[in-house]
Each structure stands twice: as C-alpha cells, then as structure tokens.
C-alpha cells in the first residue's frame, strides 16, 4: 500500500515535468498558444485560392534590455491562401558589443498559427550581429488554403530576445543575412 | 491491568478498559520536550500540528496586519512597496501551507484513528517526521525575509518570470521550503490513506465511515496527486533561475504561460484540499446540534468524490485573460460551473439536516452556521468569477481577494475553529470557557464581514490586488476593510486565551459524550481521550 502510494507520488512528480512536452504537443496540434512551426516547412505548391484574401500583419518588438532596432519592412500584406510570399525584417545592432538574438513568433488568433507555414525564417536560428552591424532578414511563408473562412486577418508578432549569454555559437559575422553592402541574398 | 505491554497492542483478548491502559501507559511517556520530539502518538502529533498551525495563523495574520495598515490610507506610509509585496507573498504561503493545511492534518491525526476505531495512525514514525520537518520549512521561508534583498515578493503563486528573471537569490530558500512542505504533506496524506484502508474497526464498512474520514481520504488522494506537481513546478523555477534551463523563458524556447498551466494544475485541486475536510467537519457538527442524522449521507460522499474529480479539469479558469481560444474558455467556464452542483448538494443536505431539527446553538454550531452562510457567499462570488467575459473585469482585482477569503477564512478557518470547539472538550476533558468562546465567535463574525465584504465593492470598482497604493476613491472602503482586519486579528487573541485555558484543564469536567446529540466512536471513549485508545478494536454494528 505504502509502496503503491509512493509510486503514485513519484509518478505525479514525473507527470509535472511530462506536462512540459505534453503542453508543446498539445499546442502543436491545436495551435492554441500561437506558436508557429520551428523549422522550415516545404512549399508543396498547393492550389492558390484566388477567391480569398487574407491580411497578415507583422509586429515587432524587442524584449526588455534588448537594444537592437527591429522593424518589419512590410507592416501589412494581403495574400491569397496558398501563395508563397516573402517579407523582410530589418535589424540593427546600435551597440559596440556583439550580440546574438533569437526571435520568437506569436500568432494571434492562435488558431491561425496552424495554417501559417514558414519555408524560411530568421526565427529558426539564433542571429548573431556584430556591434554596429545591420541586417535584412527575410521570412517566406504561405497560408494553408485549408484556413477556415472566419479567419481573414491575423497578426504575427516577433519578439527579439538577447541570448548572447547562452548562444549556441560565439557571436561572429557569418550571419547569412548580414548587410555588408545592401542585402546579402 | 489486563495485559502488560508497552507496545500498542492489537490483541483481540484485551477488554476495553481504557482507564487502566491510561494509567499503565502514562509511565512510558518521556517527560519534557523530548516527549514531543520523539512522540509517535497520533494525539500528541495532532496537538503539535494544531499548535503549529495556530502559531503560523498568528504569524501570517501579523503580516496581514502590515498589509492592512499600509492600505489604511492611499499613498505609501509605512512600508516600502517591495516589502509590501513580500508581505502579500509570505502571508499567502503561510496561511495556505502553514495554517490551513497543517490544521487539517492535525485534526486528521487526532480524529481519524478515534473515528474508525484504530489505536493509532498506520505509520507512526513517518507521522513524527512529517510534522517535524514542517518547522524547518517555515524557518527557512521566514529566514528568507531577512536575507539581503528580502524574501519572495512574487506572490504566493510565484508566476514566472516574476519568480525567475525578476526575483532575487532568496528564491532558492523559497523553493526548498516549498519542497519540504510538499514532502510533509505527501507523507501525511500517505499515512491517512494507509490508516483508513487498513485500520478500520471490524464492521466499519466504507459507507459507514464518518464523513470527516471520507472527506480526508479523498483529500489525501488529491494531495498525493498534486503536491508532486507543485514540487516539479518549483524545481523548474529553481533550474530556470539558477541553472540556465528555459522551461518558462520564451527566448530559450519555453513558455511563461505554461508555468500558469502547471501551477494551477496543482493550484486548483489545492483549494479543494483546503475545503473538503471542512465539509466533513460541518457534516459532523450540524447533525449533532440539530439532533438528527445527516440528511443524504451517500450523496455527501458522492458529491465529495465528484468535486475532487472535477477539480482536475477546471484549472484554467484562473487564466482566462492569458489569451486562450474561445472554445477552451467555454470548456473551463462550464466545467467550473459544474462544480457548483455537488457543492450545492452539500449545502442543501446541511440545510435539510437542520430542517425541523431540535436545534441548539452551542459555539461549534454557531461557527458551523456561519460557515454555511458565508462559504455560500464565497461560492457564489466564485460562480461570478467563473463567467469568462466578466472575469476579464474581475481578474486580479479585490473581488478575487474577497472571493477566496470568504471561502478560506469564513470557510476553511471557520470550520477549523468549529472543529476545535467541537472536539476540544473531548481532548481536554473540560468544557472551554463558553462566554469567551461566544465573544470570539461574535467578534470574528462581525469583523470578518467588515473586513472582506467591502472588498467586493472596491474590486468591482477596479481596485487591483497586490498593490500597496490605490486611487483616492477607494479610500473610505479601505479604511473600513482595515478596521475590520484589525478587529478580526484581535478577535483571534480571544481564541488563543480560550485554547490556552482549555489546555491548562480549566473548566467544568465534561461527560464522555460531551454534546447531547453527538454520535460516533470518538464519543464512546472517556473524556479526556486516554493516551491510547481502541487497543482492542470496537465492533461497529
């Protein structure tokens, strides 16, 4: 009896931690926390739904203590579901120090996140930038034509976090998006 | 002397001559402080728990006095905002984990073996441990207030990132003290479950168990289900803060909203942990003083079980404003409202028990009646909060503070006071000072409503909680609230006097049954309850 109860206790302690991946899986399936795909989706060239237009708005902000300039070159765009679109974001590191940044997206309403497929995004990786450097970072996406009719407008917000202290790699200049002279691509 | 042994005897051939056993075992009790440190006796440990919880109640109450003194006037007068935040945090932690929960564990220790006809708890040494680690937990928590930078200031709910990114180093002390409290609760719960499963007297079938035993059994299962989740949550906060993990940090791929999901997965069953034993207590007191058997015993058991089950699927009603999709908010809204059905069954049963009963109004009954009325008010404001669209207005206002203080102070704490007044004569063998006890009741009843009722109004008008300052238009009500608060705090000193007098065995001797209408095994044994009871199991018919 005691042993069984102790097993329940240990099991529930484990369950507390299991809630972390469960939460992610649940949110992945339902999209309710507005998180988007974390690695590149493949553009399967679905049939473009010309009959509908969806307005996608882009918001940017930097997290507390993050000194970079960060803005969306395209504030708002109308797309047909199924159409592959690329928008650009501009960042500048005004400090002398090298930084590594991580952008975290959040989609509102959350259900729209399920239908936003990004084929390329600066948010997939950490972005290093030397002091004084600037970059234009592209993001390519298409909206799944399965998107429900009642979603005609959604917002994608990127928050830029300073992750220099815990960066995977040391800050260096191999940022593919780096603007040495205009756009790198 | 029928059988000379210094171990609790389970022998079947011993005649139940409690007076003899009483004398015999008196010799084996160590004297002085070692008696209390080494004790494995359920009654001693129950007493320790109850005194500990009373001391914590007064400590947490003193912190509430600081909060109310600061809020007596708008503006900042007495304490720094950071210290104010530490007071709200530690007040909440102490009242939940130090006052209410240990009080119920203490009552369970005293009463569960006596009610089911067992000689002691099933695991007496673990029982000793589960009590004696508690003072260390609260010493650590209180000591953190004196560290550089102060104690925890992020609210008892310790939401990330307040408790991770923005907290100070004393968070580690907070985390370890919560770990110890959790271990203590889990050990207590295991003990209760094993005792109830294995040590019931012959004939004590499940559906003959007294309701306090039933409600505690279900509470104990809730405890072992959710306290480990709390331990997991504080551990994640610890590693996020000190070891570079990012469970709750979006920059590292975590999610701060997930903290709230994990916390409230613990937190909502926790509020039922603090009220289910209260339901059991009221279900003993009302029949006694209405002189009628409890109306709807079986429905009480099923209602308790369904409240416990439902408590696992309502947690997100604490988080309506975090931006959940509408269908989730609908689900949690309706699930929450569903809980009012079994709770309503209970209130109905208590009222039906009183219906046409020969009621008398002794002190425990006064507290029980106040419980029924005031807990129902707290339940109704809970229903209002459950309605998602209006919760957007009420969220994080004093309305929430009013709600949970009605269910916890006039609910849980009043039931604990009712229980103490009800069983105290059985424990001490003497009737407590009834005049003082009535004074305690009336002072508490009036002041507690002056204290908490106006909080509804300032909350609906938009006064936010956990802020040391407020707009001028809330000033009048806040003065009333503070006056009620000071009066309620002082009223508890009357309670202290009554309990001290009773423990010093002052007062008229009482009969074994104590109350005319009392029923149950604990009233069959002598008053005061001998050190060892039911060494021969009674037979329940």
């Amino acid at each position: 009896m005691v042993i069984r109860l102790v097993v329940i206790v240990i099991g529930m302690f484990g369950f507390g931690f299991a809630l972390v991946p469960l939460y992610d899986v649940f949110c992945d399936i339902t999209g309710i926390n507005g998180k988007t795909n974390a690695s590149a989706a493949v553009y399967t060239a679905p049939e473009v739904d010309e009959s509908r237009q969806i307005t996608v708005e882009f918001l940017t902000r930097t997290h507390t203590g993050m000194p970079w300039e960060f803005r969306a070159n395209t504030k708002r765009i109308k797309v047909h579901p199924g159409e592959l679109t690329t928008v650009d974001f501009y960042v500048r590191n005004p400090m002398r120090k090298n930084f590594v940044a991580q952008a975290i997206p959040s989609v509102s309403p959350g259900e729209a996140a399920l239908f936003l497929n990004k084929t390329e995004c600066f948010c997939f990786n950490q972005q290093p930038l030397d002091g004084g450097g600037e970059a234009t970072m592209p993001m390519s996406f298409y909206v799944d034509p399965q998107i429900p009719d009642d979603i005609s407008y959604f917002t994608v917000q990127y928050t830029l976090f300073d992750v220099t202290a815990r960066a995977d790699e040391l800050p260096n200049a191999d940022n593919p998006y780096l603007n040495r002279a205009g756009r790198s691509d | 002397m029928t059988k000379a042994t210094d171990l609790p005897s389970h022998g079947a051939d011993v005649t139940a001559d409690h007076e003899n056993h009483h004398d015999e075992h008196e010799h084996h009790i160590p004297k002085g402080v070692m008696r209390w440190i080494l004790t494995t006796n359920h009654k001693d440990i129950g007493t320790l728990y109850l005194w500990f919880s009373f001391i914590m109640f007064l400590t947490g109450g003193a912190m509430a006095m600081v909060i109310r003194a600061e809020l007596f006037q708008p503006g900042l007068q007495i304490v720094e905002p950071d210290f104010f935040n530490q007071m709200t945090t530690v007040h909440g932690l102490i009242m939940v984990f130090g006052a209410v929960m240990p009080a119920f564990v203490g009552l369970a220790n005293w009463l569960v073996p006596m009610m089911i006809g067992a000689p002691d708890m099933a695991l007496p040494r673990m029982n000793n441990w589960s009590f004696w680690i508690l003072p260390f937990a609260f010493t650590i928590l209180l000591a953190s207030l004196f560290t550089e930078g102060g104690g925890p200031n992020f609210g008892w709910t310790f939401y990330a990132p307040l408790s991770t990114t923005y907290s100070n180093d004393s968070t580690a002390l907070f985390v370890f003290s919560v770990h110890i409290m959790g271990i203590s609760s889990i050990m207590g719960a295991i003990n209760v479950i094993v005792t109830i499963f294995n040590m019931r007297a012959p004939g004590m079938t499940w559906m003959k168990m007294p309701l306090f035993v039933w409600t505690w059994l279900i509470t104990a299962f809730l405890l072992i289900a959710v306290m480990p989740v709390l331990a997991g949550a504080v551990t994640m906060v610890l590693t996020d803060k000190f070891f570079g993990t990012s469970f709750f940090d979006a920059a590292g791929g975590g999610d701060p909203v997930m903290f709230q999901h994990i916390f409230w997965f613990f937190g909502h069953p926790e509020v039922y942990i603090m009220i289910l034993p209260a339901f059991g207590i009221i279900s003993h007191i009302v029949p006694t003083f209405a002189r009628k058997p409890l109306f709807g015993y079986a429905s009480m058991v099923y209602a308790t079980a369904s409240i416990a089950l439902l408590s696992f699927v309502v947690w997100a009603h604490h988080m309506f404003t975090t931006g959940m999709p509408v269908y989730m908010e609908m689900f949690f809204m309706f699930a929450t409202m569903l809980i009012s059905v079994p709770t309503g069954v209970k209130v109905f049963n208590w009222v039906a028990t009183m219906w046409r009963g020969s009621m008398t109004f002794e002190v425990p009954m006064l507290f029980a009646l106040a419980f029924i009325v005031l807990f129902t008010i707290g339940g109704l404001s809970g229903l209002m909060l459950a309605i998602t669209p209006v919760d957007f207005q009420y969220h994080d206002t004093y309305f929430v503070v009013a709600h949970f203080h009605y269910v916890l102070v006039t609910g849980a704490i009043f039931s604990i006071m009712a229980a103490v007044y009800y069983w105290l004569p059985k424990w001490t063998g003497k009737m407590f000072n009834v005049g003082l006890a009535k004074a305690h009741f009336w002072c508490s009843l009036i002041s507690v409503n002056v204290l908490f009722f106006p909080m509804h109004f300032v909350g609906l008008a938009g006064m936010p909680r956990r802020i040391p300052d407020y707009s001028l238009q809330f000033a009048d009500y806040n003065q009333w609230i503070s006056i009620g608060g000071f009066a309620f705090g002082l009223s508890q000193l009357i309670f202290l006097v009554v309990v001290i007098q009773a423990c010093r065995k002052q007062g008229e001797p009482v009969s074994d049954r104590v109350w005319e209408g009392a029923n149950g095994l604990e009233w069959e044994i002598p008053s005061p309850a001998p050190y060892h009871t039911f060494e021969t199991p009674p037979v329940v018919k």
Side-chain angles (χ1 to χ4, degrees):
Chain A
M1 184 87 199
V2 181
I3 292 169
R4 260 181 283 168
L5 292 171
V6 171
V7 168
I8 296 178
V9 169
I10 294 167
M12 287 307 294
F13 185 70
F15 179 71
F17 285 90
L19 281 173
V20 176
L22 280 175
Y23 177 82
D24 286 342
V25 170
F26 187 72
C27 291
D28 257 6
I29 296 168
T30 58
I32 50 179
N33 66 348
K35 276 193 189 169
T36 57
N37 52 316
S39 55
V42 179
Y43 182 58
T44 51
E47 204 169 308
V48 176
D49 183 356
E50 300 277 359
S51 67
R52 277 202 289 162
Q53 267 201 329
I54 299 200
T55 308
V56 186
E57 187 179 18
F58 296 98
L59 296 178
T60 55
R61 62 183 284 262
T62 51
H63 194 61
T64 317
M66 178 59 165
W68 287 16
E69 264 177 57
F70 179 36
R71 63 174 183 261
N73 289 345
T74 310
K75 302 285 182 211
R76 194 178 286 114
I77 192 168
K78 284 185 187 242
V79 295
H80 296 295
E83 181 183 14
L84 188 65
T85 313
T86 301
V87 289
D88 286 332
F89 290 77
Y90 170 81
V91 282
R92 191 172 79 85
N93 177 359
M95 312 294 278
R96 288 196 185 153
K97 195 180 139 212
N98 299 349
F99 272 87
V100 182
Q102 171 73 55
I104 303 288
S106 173
V107 176
S108 180
E111 292 101 311
L114 287 178
F115 303 97
L116 174 68
N117 294 304
K118 292 187 284 191
T119 57
E120 186 189 359
C121 181
F122 53 92
C123 62
F124 293 154
N125 299 306
Q126 296 182 343
Q127 300 297 340
L129 202 55
D130 287 346
E134 55 180 24
T136 305
M137 310 187 295
M139 192 277 265
S140 304
F141 71 98
Y142 68 97
V143 177
D144 192 323
Q146 306 286 320
I147 191 164
D149 287 338
D150 58 332
I151 303 179
S152 60
Y153 191 111
F154 65 86
T155 305
V156 184
Q157 173 177 284
Y158 284 101
T159 307
L160 209 56
F161 289 81
D162 172 15
V163 293
T164 313
R166 64 166 108 184
D168 295 338
E169 48 196 301
L170 287 173
N172 55 32
D174 61 2
N175 186 332
Y177 308 126
L178 195 65
N179 289 18
R180 280 267 154 71
R183 283 188 57 165
S184 56
D185 52 344
Chain B
M1 305 285 159
T2 47
K3 189 174 181 182
T5 168
D6 54 359
L7 293 166
S9 162
H10 301 269
D13 58 338
V14 186
T15 54
D17 190 348
H18 299 292
E19 281 304 321
N20 282 352
H21 284 284
H22 183 57
D23 296 340
E24 180 188 331
H25 285 282
E26 210 72 57
H27 304 299
H28 301 289
I29 305 171
K31 295 282 175 234
V33 73
M34 289 316 279
R35 167 188 169 180
W36 299 102
I37 291 176
L38 299 177
T39 185
T40 54
N41 179 285
H42 73 101
K43 299 184 182 78
D44 281 354
I45 292 173
T47 306
L48 286 171
Y49 264 112
L50 287 167
W51 270 111
F52 177 77
S53 107
F54 201 173
I55 292 164
M56 284 296 120
F57 178 58
L58 297 176
T59 312
M63 293 173 183
M65 296 301 105
V66 174
I67 295 168
R68 284 323 314 176
E70 176 58 51
L71 292 175
F72 189 75
Q73 289 180 356
L76 297 175
Q77 286 88 28
I78 297 171
V79 293
E80 294 290 315
D82 184 54
F83 188 70
F84 182 90
N85 291 346
Q86 293 172 36
M87 286 293 101
T88 55
T89 304
V90 182
H91 164 77
L93 288 167
I94 285 191
M95 288 306 199
V96 169
F97 296 104
V100 174
M101 289 170 67
F104 281 133
V105 180
L107 291 169
N109 263 292
W110 254 104
L111 297 170
V112 167
M114 278 165 37
M115 284 178 169
I116 63 173
D120 205 310
M121 297 295 276
L123 308 160
R125 283 184 200 282
M126 193 167 86
N127 208 8
N128 174 290
W129 265 95
S130 63
F131 172 75
W132 276 110
I133 60 177
L134 266 189
F136 292 94
F138 285 91
T139 307
I140 292 172
L141 180 64
L142 290 169
S144 75
L145 287 172
F146 300 99
T147 56
E148 200 182 328
N153 58 3
F154 30 72
W156 85 277
T157 51
F158 61 102
Y159 277 13
L162 292 177
S163 58
T164 54
T165 314
Y166 300 105
S167 65
N168 57 39
D169 287 346
S170 72
T171 307
L173 296 176
F174 156 80
V175 168
F176 292 134
S177 77
V178 172
H179 275 145
I180 300 172
M181 294 169 203
I183 291 168
S184 163
S185 299
I186 290 167
M187 291 202 293
I190 289 177
N191 217 337
V192 168
I193 295 174
V194 177
T195 307
I196 296 174
F197 266 77
N198 294 336
M199 297 182 69
R200 280 169 292 138
M204 175 73 75
T205 57
W206 288 112
M207 291 313 273
K208 278 187 190 163
M209 278 197 328
L211 266 171
F212 181 73
V213 180
W214 253 120
T215 52
W216 238 109
L217 179 66
I218 292 167
T219 302
F221 275 108
L222 286 181
L223 276 168
I224 63 166
V226 300
M227 291 310 282
V229 177
L230 173 71
V234 290
T235 308
M236 289 182 223
V237 164
L238 184 79
T239 58
D240 263 20
K241 178 154 183 63
F242 294 103
F243 302 110
T245 58
S246 19
F247 288 107
F248 309 128
D249 183 0
D255 190 336
V257 175
M258 187 178 68
F259 173 85
Q260 299 185 30
H261 281 290
I262 296 175
F263 178 80
W264 287 114
F265 183 83
F266 146 79
H268 203 78
E270 167 70 16
V271 307
Y272 291 101
I273 287 166
M274 292 190 284
I275 203 64
L276 292 183
F279 292 161
I281 290 164
I282 303 304
S283 304
H284 281 254
I285 294 174
V286 169
T288 298
F289 298 102
R291 290 168 182 76
K292 275 175 64 193
L294 183 71
F295 182 90
Y297 169 88
S299 67
M300 283 298 212
V301 173
Y302 296 130
T304 310
S306 34
I307 291 173
L309 289 176
L310 282 173
S311 75
F312 283 100
V313 292
V314 296
W315 76 89
H317 66 213
H318 297 269
M319 318 167 37
F320 281 147
T321 58
T322 54
M324 278 189 288
V326 173
Y327 62 89
M328 298 270 290
E329 297 194 323
M330 298 278 277
F331 170 79
F332 284 110
M333 174 169 90
F334 289 126
T336 305
M337 290 179 163
L338 202 56
I339 290 193
S340 61
V341 176
T343 315
V345 167
K346 286 177 169 293
V347 174
F348 178 87
N349 285 350
W350 293 322
V351 175
T353 306
M354 288 186 274
W355 176 251
R356 294 190 167 179
S358 312
M359 296 229 291
T360 49
F361 300 94
E362 284 87 344
V363 180
M365 185 61 162
L366 291 175
F367 273 99
L369 291 173
F371 170 96
I372 295 172
V373 174
L374 298 177
F375 174 79
T376 306
I377 292 177
L380 284 173
S381 58
L383 263 182
M384 290 171 70
L385 287 163
I387 304 168
T388 309
V390 296
D391 181 70
F392 275 69
Q393 183 194 345
Y394 305 157
H395 187 84
D396 256 346
T397 68
Y398 258 80
F399 191 80
V400 178
V401 180
H403 158 68
F404 68 73
H405 281 93
Y406 262 89
V407 291
L408 283 176
V409 179
T410 61
I413 303 243
F414 268 33
S415 84
I416 292 164
M417 289 170 178
V420 169
Y421 283 124
Y422 186 55
W423 281 291
L424 195 58
K426 170 55 69 184
W427 300 337
T428 64
K430 301 286 166 61
M431 182 53 76
F432 50 80
N433 185 331
V434 175
L436 269 187
K438 286 200 169 165
H440 170 228
F441 170 74
W442 288 108
C443 290
S444 298
L445 181 75
I446 294 166
S447 59
V448 85
N449 283 292
V450 176
L451 166 57
F452 295 123
F453 208 79
M455 286 186 183
H456 292 112
F457 309 143
V458 290
L460 291 177
M463 178 170 160
R465 62 189 283 216
R466 289 175 173 164
I467 307 282
D469 190 8
Y470 50 84
S471 318
L472 293 176
Q473 71 267 31
F474 304 128
D476 290 354
Y477 275 134
N478 270 289
Q479 289 198 345
W480 279 108
I481 293 169
S482 287
I483 290 167
F486 301 141
F488 185 71
L490 290 174
S491 307
Q492 303 324 307
L493 300 180
I494 309 175
F495 187 38
L496 184 65
V497 172
V498 175
V499 176
I500 288 175
Q501 283 183 351
C503 290
R504 301 172 104 191
K505 312 265 181 179
Q506 295 171 6
E508 295 293 310
V510 292
S511 67
D512 291 355
R513 190 157 296 275
V514 182
W515 312 104
E516 190 191 20
N519 269 306
L521 286 177
E522 77 269 31
W523 307 109
E524 311 285 330
I525 57 176
S527 297
Y531 199 60
H532 295 290
T533 42
F534 295 126
E535 294 180 20
T536 314
V539 175
V540 181
K541 291 183 186 70

